[in-house]
Amino acid sequence: MKLNLILTNFKNIVNFWKNSSYILIILLLTPIVTLILSSFQNNIETWLHLIDTKLSLYIYNTFFLIIGVGILSITIGVSCAWIVAKYKFFLSNFVEWALLLPAAIPAYIVAYCYTDFLEYGGVIQTTLREIFNWQSSKEYFFPEIRSMTGAILILSFALYPYIYFITKVAFSSTPKNLFNVARIHGKSEFLYVALPMARPAIIAGLSLVLMETISDFGTVEFLAVETVTLGIFNLWLGMNNFSAASQLSFLAFTFIVVLLGVELSARKNQKFNNPQASSFEKKIEEISLNKSLILFFICLFPILIGFIIPVLILINLSMQSYDKSNFYTFIEISLNSISVSFFGAFLTILISFIIVVAVKYHGSKKFSFFATIAGSGYAFPGVILALATTFFLSFIQNNINELFLNFNLNWNLTLIGTFTALLYTYICRFNAIGVGYINSGIQRISPNLLEAGRLQGVSFEKSLFKIIFPLIRPSILTGFLIVFVDIFKELPVTLLLRPFNFETLATYVYQYAKEEMLEQCALAALLITLIGTIPVFILNKTINLSYEKQ
């Protein structure tokens, strides 16, 4: 009798968690659904205008940008990953984690730095004119940083760590006997073993690079490269056409879907594991001093371009333009960034925790499917998701206000341009990160722990917070820090949805850099970069711990 009562109470609690999760999943998916619905509206005149003017340019630039960034990022990421995984060279332990540092600095800040450094009035060209006594730009040729080539180079050196990190793990985890077989047959270990085995990892990293490239707003806008994402921004704010912007949003997302679809089809019947292979054994090859130095400088180059030079530029500008009178303004803006990032990360992790628990302990296949697609917001560019959230909240706001008027209530509900809209969009965009980290932690816990407590009459919530929560605390903390830093660096969502007169470090940097006044915001950009190093150290520590366990 007592057991039946316990099971009944447990079932009621389970239903409560499951129903709560369904509500949260619906809220996470609603902006995307409303974006789809809004795209069904007739915009023939707008599209005819786009076809006659900018549409072909948007598609052309986006296509060549993702192709260029994809090829260069793979080249840098895979080559550096192979060097680090296979060889022990000069300062290899330092280089191994330093290759992740470019991920700490947002691409738009790198673009600001190099434009200031390489443009006509920058240090490089000014020095060249002084040395050779050139009087104008007509007397010499210098590559234009504000170009497609400049955008490809900057985005590639900022995004290659996505490919480097996951590919290095794949190379290092490849069974040693497969390399031995290739060596016996006189085949290249890299081409015939490492590269094919790491293909899924490379594609996973590439998909992240492509999503980040398509969703990028600050870099392409500053470098005057008109992509589909920039077109969405112009349609929305320039022409005030929500539905046409929604339709163009799906054109942007199509680039990702098509590329991933082609790859999934290509490797559908291929096998990337060998159950008969020997267990993992880390293999580091000793090399000569000359080769060691060559490999060191090869790996140092992307670190230099993607992190060291931009940081040195920011430090120099910060020292030149530091103004004590703006100190309190800077502190206020910094606190704004920290507070909105903290609350956004906290709510994201809380909702992710509820969803993961519901899926783990009472989720059907159908429920798990909905929970998975609830994380699809991360695949949408920030501009698109900001558009979707605005469309949805505008619909809610207008209908509630009309309802108030029907009851003669002069209450004016405001959702657009509030912290509610901003935090809601952060959650929709970054909940996939929280779900991923928390799920990875909870999957390692035996379900017997919860069942044992349940049979002893301990409530579900008590078992959850006394047993499960402490065990997955590291995963929760890691997920929280990653989401915190992503929100801290986030530009388009914050720029479009922030409340009036509310500045974060990202929007503060954007406002000044757009007006060619990088020296005024260099300290803010430097702080964003320093905060961005947090996930780099987390990732490095995580992979080192995994090596130790093996």
Side-chain angles (χ1 to χ4, degrees):
M1 191 71 180
K2 183 180 178 182
L3 180 61
N4 289 334
L5 182 62
I6 292 171
L7 293 176
T8 301
N9 291 334
F10 184 82
K11 186 177 180 180
N12 292 333
I13 293 170
V14 161
N15 289 333
F16 169 78
W17 277 77
K18 190 172 183 178
N19 293 334
S20 300
S21 297
Y22 265 123
I23 293 171
L24 292 173
I25 289 171
I26 290 170
L27 287 173
L28 292 173
L29 288 175
T30 302
I32 297 171
V33 173
T34 54
L35 188 69
I36 295 172
L37 294 176
S38 70
S39 66
F40 290 145
Q41 296 183 26
N42 191 339
N43 291 286
I44 294 178
E45 292 183 2
T46 303
W47 277 96
L48 289 175
H49 174 71
L50 279 175
I51 292 170
D52 290 337
T53 54
K54 295 283 189 178
L55 184 61
S56 59
L57 181 63
Y58 291 154
I59 295 174
Y60 174 87
N61 284 344
T62 303
F63 177 76
F64 279 98
L65 185 65
I66 62 175
I67 293 297
V69 172
I71 292 173
L72 188 54
S73 296
I74 285 179
T75 302
I76 298 170
V78 173
S79 58
C80 290
W82 176 247
I83 291 171
V84 167
K86 183 170 176 63
Y87 300 104
K88 185 175 180 61
F89 56 91
F90 178 66
L91 293 179
S92 57
N93 291 333
F94 162 77
V95 168
E96 183 176 2
W97 69 265
L99 280 164
L100 292 169
L101 285 174
I105 179 167
Y108 59 86
I109 290 180
V110 179
Y112 301 157
C113 292
Y114 277 114
T115 302
D116 183 80
F117 191 58
L118 298 174
E119 66 181 355
Y120 182 78
V123 175
I124 297 296
Q125 292 199 52
T126 301
T127 303
L128 289 174
R129 288 196 299 273
E130 290 177 355
I131 293 174
F132 296 102
N133 198 28
W134 290 326
Q135 301 302 314
S136 69
S137 59
K138 295 179 180 180
E139 299 180 40
Y140 65 97
F141 169 77
F142 196 86
E144 177 58 58
I145 186 67
R146 295 178 188 265
S147 62
M148 173 65 74
T149 302
I152 289 173
L153 289 171
I154 286 172
L155 286 169
S156 299
F157 280 100
L159 298 176
Y160 81 83
Y162 287 105
I163 297 174
Y164 160 75
F165 177 72
I166 194 170
T167 306
K168 183 192 72 170
V169 174
F171 285 159
S172 300
S173 302
T174 302
K176 182 182 177 182
N177 61 351
L178 296 181
F179 291 115
N180 293 336
V181 171
R183 199 179 301 110
I184 289 171
H185 288 84
K187 301 291 185 180
S188 167
E189 296 178 32
F190 176 72
L191 293 177
Y192 287 90
V193 178
L195 201 58
M197 291 293 291
R199 183 177 168 187
I202 294 170
I203 296 302
L206 177 62
S207 67
L208 290 173
V209 169
L210 296 182
M211 282 191 281
E212 290 291 335
T213 301
I214 290 177
S215 67
D216 181 85
F217 168 74
T219 307
V220 295
E221 197 261 354
F222 189 73
L223 297 180
V225 178
E226 296 184 274
T227 62
V228 171
T229 300
L230 202 57
I232 295 166
F233 188 88
N234 293 333
L235 274 175
W236 180 13
L237 298 184
M239 301 179 65
N240 196 28
N241 194 325
F242 273 96
S243 56
S246 302
Q247 292 161 2
L248 194 57
S249 298
F250 284 97
L251 179 62
F253 192 62
T254 300
F255 278 99
I256 293 289
V257 174
V258 169
L259 288 168
L260 292 181
V262 169
E263 169 55 25
L264 287 172
S265 176
R267 62 187 172 98
K268 181 172 58 177
N269 297 319
Q270 297 185 20
K271 187 178 180 183
F272 296 95
N273 60 72
N274 183 1
Q276 297 178 339
S278 63
S279 59
F280 165 79
E281 181 178 343
K282 196 172 182 181
K283 182 177 183 296
I284 298 292
E285 186 175 313
E286 298 282 353
I287 54 177
S288 65
L289 178 61
N290 289 337
K291 190 174 181 180
S292 174
L293 290 175
I294 291 172
L295 295 180
F296 169 73
F297 283 111
I298 290 174
C299 292
L300 181 65
F301 184 71
I303 303 171
L304 192 69
I305 300 297
F307 185 81
I308 296 176
I309 292 178
V311 168
L312 290 176
I313 292 171
L314 291 176
I315 291 173
N316 180 56
L317 291 174
S318 298
M319 294 174 65
Q320 289 180 4
S321 61
Y322 178 73
D323 186 357
K324 290 184 179 179
S325 62
N326 293 328
F327 179 75
Y328 290 106
T329 301
F330 180 75
I331 292 297
E332 180 184 353
I333 294 171
S334 299
L335 291 176
N336 286 345
S337 291
I338 292 170
S339 59
V340 76
S341 300
F342 176 84
F343 285 113
F346 175 79
L347 292 173
T348 300
I349 293 300
L350 178 62
I351 290 171
S352 299
F353 178 76
I354 294 171
I355 291 173
V356 170
V357 168
V359 170
K360 171 67 176 178
Y361 295 108
H362 28 270
S364 60
K365 288 185 178 179
K366 182 180 178 182
F367 183 74
S368 300
F369 170 76
F370 282 114
T372 300
I373 64 173
S376 61
Y378 190 67
F380 283 82
V383 172
I384 297 176
L385 210 57
L387 172 68
T389 306
T390 301
F391 192 89
F392 169 60
L393 293 181
S394 295
F395 175 79
I396 298 296
Q397 177 181 299
N398 294 337
N399 280 275
I400 291 178
N401 286 333
E402 285 182 11
L403 183 64
F404 287 159
L405 290 175
N406 290 335
F407 288 95
N408 295 320
L409 297 173
N410 193 22
W411 297 346
N412 187 22
L413 176 69
T414 302
L415 295 175
I416 305 302
T418 64
F419 288 108
T420 301
L422 190 60
L423 293 173
Y424 180 44
T425 310
Y426 286 152
I427 295 167
C428 291
R429 178 153 169 72
F430 297 117
N431 80 90
I433 299 175
V435 168
Y437 277 96
I438 296 173
N439 189 57
S440 67
I442 211 167
Q443 290 296 335
R444 294 193 294 266
I445 297 175
S446 171
N448 296 333
L449 290 175
L450 201 63
E451 291 181 9
R454 189 176 94 191
L455 292 174
Q456 293 181 16
V458 180
S459 67
F460 177 79
E461 279 86 358
K462 192 172 183 179
S463 298
L464 186 66
F465 290 104
K466 292 288 185 180
I467 301 173
I468 305 301
F469 183 79
L471 293 175
I472 64 171
R473 190 181 294 141
S475 298
I476 291 175
L477 180 60
T478 301
F480 173 85
L481 289 173
I482 298 293
V483 175
F484 175 90
V485 173
D486 277 343
I487 295 175
F488 199 87
K489 298 188 297 183
E490 218 290 324
L491 177 61
V493 170
T494 311
L495 186 67
L496 294 168
L497 300 180
R498 62 197 166 123
F500 183 68
N501 280 339
F502 181 83
E503 293 281 0
T504 65
L505 290 172
T507 61
Y508 180 80
V509 170
Y510 171 80
Q511 300 286 357
Y512 277 99
K514 188 179 181 181
E515 300 298 328
E516 308 291 342
M517 299 169 65
L518 181 61
E519 65 279 358
Q520 301 297 324
C521 62
L523 186 59
L526 188 60
L527 182 56
I528 292 174
T529 302
L530 293 176
I531 295 294
T533 59
I534 293 174
V536 170
F537 291 110
I538 291 173
L539 290 173
N540 185 61
K541 185 176 180 181
T542 300
I543 191 61
N544 286 340
L545 286 175
S546 68
Y547 282 150
E548 291 173 5
K549 288 178 181 178
Q550 291 170 328

